Amino acid sequence: MTALDEIKIGGLGASRRRVEDNRFIRGKGNYVDDIVLPGMLHMEILRSPVAHARIVSIDTSKAWAIPGVRLVLTGEMMAKRNLAWMPTLSYDTQAVLATDKVRFQGQEVACVIADDPYIAKDACEAIVVEYETLPVVVNPEQALATDAPLIRDDKENQQDNVVFDWEVGDAAGTDRAFAQADLVSKIELHYPRSHPSPIECCGSIADFDRSTSKLTVYMTTQAPHIIRAAVSLVAELPEHMIRIVSPDIGGGFGNKVPVYPGYVMSILASILLERPVKWIEDKTGNLISTGFGRDVYLRGEMALRKDGKILGVRMHTLSDHGAFFADAQPSKFKIGLMHSAFAAYDIPAAHLLARGVYTNKAPGGVAYRCSFRVTEAMFFQERMVQAAADDLGMDQAEFRRVNFVRDDDFPHRTAFGFLTDSGQYGKCLDVGLEAIGYADFQERKKEAAARGRLLGIGISTMTEPLGAGNSREYDILGIKMFDSAELRVHMTGKALLRTGAKTQGQGHETTWAQIVAHELGLPAEDVVVEEGDTDTAPFGMGTYASRSTPVAGAAVAMVARKIRAKARKLAAHLLEVSEEDVEWELGRFYVRSAPNRGVTIQECAAAAYSNMPDGMEPGLENVAYYDPPNLTWPFACYIATVEVDPQTGVWDVLNFVAVDDCGVRINPMIVEGQIMGGLTEAYAMASMQFITYDAEGNCVGSNYMDYLLPTAWETPGFELHEVVTPCPHHPIGAKGIGECATVGGPAAFVNAVMDALKGFGVRNIDMPMLPDRVHEAITTGRDVSGHPPVRQDD
Amino acid sequence: MYPSRFGYESPRALDEAIELLTRGQGEAKILAGGQSLIPMLKLRFASPEMLVDINNLPGLSHLTVDPDGSLRVGALCRHSQLERAAALAGPFPTIAAAAPLVADPIVRNRGTLVGSICHADPQGDWAAVAIALGASVVAQGPSGRRRIPVADFVSGPFQNVLAYDEVAVEVVFPAAAGTAAGGYLKLERRVGDFATAGVAVGLERSGSVVTRAGMALTGVGGATIDASGAAQALVGGELTADRIARAAEGAAAAAKPRSDHRGSAAYKRHIVHTFVTRILTRVADDVERAA
């Protein structure tokens, strides 16, 4: 009997086609807006046109008069039910509907529930709101000015616009390192505000059934169980009377983790009207009011020895959180995992001082395709690294090599206290340099310069913490960040798998089945995966921060192993030998002394329902809750070469090489797709994608004409390479991958353009490097800041 | 995105369309490609009482070169038809250069040149091309047809001189006397973005001597800017570096850009200067190669 071919059954390493695509390409996906319930009403939200104003009056009489209008809600009505404010995921409060004043453009002021969405929209326009405008704060400098208007005057004890002051690392040790430095390299950077902008906007259908007292909410959420807990808190309904169903999701990217006012309003409306209420956000609503990403300023300093060794790092961050502190992040860390910066480098001392401020901008600070501010951390790190190499006059690749954590130095405690456990950083860099033709590039650059062309090369290398988390350090609203999987093997050997994660394009329905195939030898096509329904899925924290494979994926392996342990007992029974005499190979148990005598996993499954030994509990199903011992630490090396047109400031990518080490790859095709998508977003950040505000607090970027996402026309090609260093603690050796490229990619583009502009005396152009900014840098020889410079006291 | 309530009519004959517009008294709006109008309706920037959909009118999809060499573009001729018309490259190089730069492929499949000119968005490409080439709009109303040079047709941002009961049925580009030359360059932050700046140049030459020059600018003023005055520096001689420089400087001076998130006014002027230089230098190189 020959052993099963793991690739053929769709196990680990198989580039299996995505099973979910079958329904998507046939138009059979089931998104929230596809769901139609009997008697369903439609909700539209009236948003504030101004960024900061006291609400003098709201007159809803004309809206009520429109035929087909069923309910008009205002903040005052919410307040009567104690629902005008709700908690955020970062222990702040956020207005559901404004009562006292509006604090950002696009804030929810009223909502209308009507027979159809057209009527609801007409009625919103018929609501008359009188505003008394207030001075507007659109950046941290204004927020911290002594005469700044107090944005959060609703909060007792809030005297200014500071959200938090937080620090981590060793201040004294870092000071000592700087005292010993031969050279201190300094740079100021801004990671601009952006929006995750999933194609599908947010939405919900709340369906409260008075006869059962049960509330069902179909909604676009990446974290159904967290939402259930939050709804339970806000709506004061018991958990078992709440069912959250997250159907197919048209992209999340962190935008669909928070609790949004629209969800709460639709729930209250359904309770009041006893009818299903659907709310589907429009694109402008999504862009101007829901969770943004980034918007952090950095002042970075690096203490250097002449030979290139980094002695210490100081980071001062100043982050703009908008009107409410609604970051979705682990409770313990105020600026996410910013302190994961420099984890790839062996640095003796580091210190991070972080300050967050309120402004009259939309709330959010979500982990936009990253693990809680890791994108900012790695961007700042790699820009600081390039600046330091330039200041030292050292080759940028060599500077990295000198400072990398060595392969034999794991586990390694980083200067900020993380524990990294595996990697081959030097090898990844070598593969990248070889692929891009690093050795010849300086020659090419010189030749091009002789013909008036500007070429540049930029490297970005990083390891990042993915897969929060372990329960010691990571929780959201006090709930520990473990995850779960439940596996039910039917008597025919077919199986149903459910997890606490929630796919939004990551391909869980495909890859989870591959893990089961790897562990049990069941063909992947025999395993159906379900996620997103809190009534059926085991409790989990959802999908974001690249945590699915590191946490829920590990739970899948662990529950399959529990199944295999029971199947072994069944096999021993069927083979009439003792359990100790049974050996396992993929898909089959056999007698050690007689390998030809064996039973398949399917035969064991049948026995679990039809021929179990005396005293054994029937059935073959189990659940595993997995609390990872550590984060996973993938490594990436991204290298871009660019050509800059000095006359226009337009730059083009010549080549881009990506070397990713995400440990064992479950489905290489899906991994490559994740990297391609992430690099596209990285290119977007570097080249065009940002949300900015004018002095009055108007959001510039409220639709896709102003908020630029790159299309296939602009996006360069990417050449992918891999190195595999298995994760030492993950059951199948996998690390997160969904976000590496978004996180590590932007710095490669910026470093490349800055390399091209070296001769102009320019040190930094803030992202996005739009042509006018590049041109300004070339013509003035000065750095170009995307925003007014921001000072911060030490 | 839910528009306000509006009526919808889909006439089968041009007379019927004109009658509907007449009855609309200015509250009816023509729907052709809809690539600007539909987003404006959805954003409620426009709330016409009625849409007169002309997509079912016969005889308006034409892209025809008349015996005298002039080009007629019908009101339902899509951008993509112009993009695919390889035969335009010789007699109408400015059109051939602009066609693939209009918006994005999806918009080009549906949007129309005539609609774009009527929409009169200062960032629209075709108005600049039409002005540089001396093209005219043919409008038909209850009392018949009239021809309006595009330079006079666009009266301001999003404004044209059509009466409410008139339909722009086609745009006519005159044939070049001699050899046609020219080009179109546009800077956009992304495909489909509004232009940061664009330059259309239309030349006629006899041998190496320029006999007619038209120029217009996209996205650097409240309306499309006719820079043909600056282009006069080119007429009557060869495309020397000096003449090119004077035309570029003239075009940059004619631009009236505003500083915004696409760049400073000075930067946009600089782009106009650069693009005029690039188009003319390329033409000069071509002439030299041909000689």
Side-chain angles (χ1 to χ4, degrees), chain A residues 11 55 58 78 240 257 270 288 370 374 379 395 491 665 671:
Chain A
I55 294 176
I58 303 181
M78 300 297 279
H240 69 301
V257 175
S270 181
I288 68 174
C370 82
V374 165
F379 177 74
D395 174 76
M491 70 179 82
R665 296 186 175 199
V671 169

Side-chain angles (χ1 to χ4, degrees), chain A residues 44 117 121-122 125 282 284 645 647-648 650 704-705 708-709 713-714 771-772 775, chain B residues 1-3 44 105 187 189-194 261-263 267 270-271 274 278:
Chain A
E44 283 283 315
K121 182 78 184 171
D122 288 347
E125 295 204 331
D282 63 25
T284 296
D645 178 345
Q647 284 182 312
T648 60
V650 171
Y704 281 160
M705 284 313 298
L708 303 180
L709 307 180
W713 288 88
E714 295 81 24
D772 62 312
H775 185 261
Chain B
M1 299 278 173
Y2 298 101
R44 298 196 171 198
L187 179 68
R189 298 176 302 171
R190 187 204 62 187
V191 165
D193 183 26
F194 290 115
H261 53 290
R262 289 185 180 81
Y267 174 69
H270 166 77
I271 293 297
T274 303
R278 285 185 180 180

Side-chain angles (χ1 to χ4, degrees), chain A residues 20-298:
Chain A
E20 41 273 86
D21 288 347
N22 205 325
R23 66 176 184 278
F24 293 143
I25 62 175
R26 288 166 198 265
K28 297 288 185 187
N30 186 38
Y31 301 91
V32 165
D33 203 15
D34 291 322
I35 297 170
V36 176
L37 300 179
M40 190 170 76
L41 300 170
H42 298 265
M43 184 179 104
E44 283 283 315
I45 295 172
L46 176 71
R47 299 180 181 279
S48 170
V50 291
H52 199 193
R54 197 156 299 286
I55 294 176
V56 179
S57 63
I58 303 181
D59 180 358
T60 60
S61 56
K62 287 200 180 79
W64 279 106
I66 294 174
V69 169
R70 302 290 169 166
L71 182 66
V72 183
L73 285 174
T74 61
E76 201 183 330
M77 295 162 74
M78 300 297 279
K80 278 185 200 144
R81 293 166 179 86
N82 203 23
L83 284 172
W85 293 82
M86 63 178 187
T88 71
L89 297 180
S90 279
Y91 294 93
D92 194 2
T93 50
Q94 175 173 355
V96 176
L97 281 174
T99 47
D100 50 342
K101 62 179 190 177
V102 290
R103 292 174 171 82
F104 69 94
Q105 185 190 50
Q107 187 178 337
E108 298 80 358
V109 174
C111 76
V112 175
I113 293 88
D115 290 352
D116 74 43
Y118 293 86
I119 296 171
K121 182 78 184 171
D122 288 347
C124 279
E125 295 204 331
I127 297 171
V128 181
V129 185
E130 193 187 333
Y131 297 101
E132 180 189 312
T133 56
L134 298 166
V136 173
V137 171
V138 293
N139 63 43
E141 191 180 32
Q142 294 172 346
L144 295 173
T146 45
D147 59 346
L150 182 63
I151 296 167
R152 294 302 301 276
D153 52 351
D154 58 292
K155 294 176 79 171
E156 271 178 52
N157 306 323
Q158 181 79 36
Q159 309 292 335
D160 53 25
N161 292 320
V162 175
V163 184
F164 61 78
D165 280 302
W166 191 75
E167 68 177 308
V168 62
D170 176 3
T174 307
D175 286 346
R176 283 195 298 277
F178 275 79
Q180 291 163 7
D182 293 325
L183 180 76
V184 173
S185 173
K186 299 180 179 181
I187 193 164
E188 292 189 17
L189 302 164
H190 179 221
Y191 203 126
R193 178 177 278 236
S194 60
H195 192 280
S197 188
I199 295 298
E200 180 202 33
C201 301
C202 296
S204 56
I205 304 169
D207 183 14
F208 181 70
D209 184 339
R210 178 68 66 196
S211 68
T212 60
S213 297
K214 184 146 184 174
L215 172 70
T216 302
V217 189
Y218 303 88
M219 67 195 298
T220 51
T221 176
Q222 299 175 227
H225 286 95
I226 299 183
I227 295 287
R228 187 178 65 182
V231 169
S232 177
L233 276 170
V234 175
E236 292 180 349
L237 288 169
E239 248 180 319
H240 69 301
M241 286 292 131
I242 303 170
R243 177 184 173 209
I244 306 294
V245 182
S246 186
D248 284 331
I249 296 184
F253 307 103
N255 183 243
K256 290 171 181 168
V257 175
V259 182
Y260 291 122
Y263 300 154
V264 178
M265 288 179 245
S266 67
I267 289 169
L268 177 64
S270 181
I271 291 172
L272 293 176
L273 296 167
E274 298 186 21
R275 284 175 66 175
V277 173
K278 179 188 268 188
W279 166 61
I280 300 295
E281 185 178 59
D282 63 25
K283 188 54 74 184
T284 296
N286 183 251
L287 284 170
I288 68 174
S289 78
T290 62
F292 69 92
R294 333 300 186 214
D295 214 350
V296 185
Y297 297 80
L298 170 86

Side-chain angles (χ1 to χ4, degrees), chain B residues 164-222:
Chain B
Y164 66 77
D165 54 5
E166 281 182 309
V167 180
V169 291
E170 63 181 13
V171 168
V172 182
F173 293 84
T179 310
Y184 186 75
L185 283 177
K186 168 166 79 164
L187 179 68
E188 50 188 2
R189 298 176 302 171
R190 187 204 62 187
V191 165
D193 183 26
F194 290 115
T196 303
V199 173
V201 177
L203 303 177
E204 292 168 20
R205 62 184 177 87
S206 172
S208 58
V209 175
V210 175
T211 54
R212 182 199 164 273
M215 188 152 65
L217 313 176
T218 307
V220 286

